[in-house]
Amino acid sequence: MPKKSVRQMFRKYPDVVTIPQVCEMLGVSERTVYRLLVTNQIKHFKVGRAYRIPKVNVFAFMESECRG
């Protein structure tokens, strides 16, 4: 999928997203998103106990999964 179309699909999301937003974006469960974060497949940072994920890192993960 071309970069522009992915960016267009997710333009309604803020630049830094939460776990539930990543679930929506990827169409997966919270458990799956937590696994991706803990294994560092999606780069993220924590604010206190809350995970925050830059939207560009979700794009990077999607691109790496498409390439295989």
Side-chain angles (χ1 to χ4, degrees):
M1 188 175 285
K3 287 182 187 179
K4 283 189 177 182
S5 63
V6 171
R7 291 178 191 273
Q8 288 294 97
M9 283 179 10
F10 299 128
R11 71 177 174 264
K12 72 174 185 170
Y13 292 97
D15 290 337
V16 178
V17 294
T18 62
I19 298 284
Q21 290 170 324
V22 175
C23 292
E24 281 181 27
M25 293 168 81
L26 299 179
V28 297
S29 69
E30 282 191 16
R31 184 176 181 169
T32 300
V33 173
Y34 279 111
R35 190 176 316 122
L36 292 170
L37 296 177
V38 169
T39 59
N40 217 26
Q41 290 180 278
I42 298 179
K43 305 292 183 206
H44 61 280
F45 59 92
K46 288 182 82 173
V47 177
R49 293 174 45 186
Y51 287 91
R52 296 293 179 253
I53 305 98
K55 188 166 56 173
V56 295
N57 292 353
V58 178
F59 297 153
F61 169 75
M62 292 173 73
E63 287 177 7
S64 71
E65 286 300 303
C66 287
R67 283 188 235 138

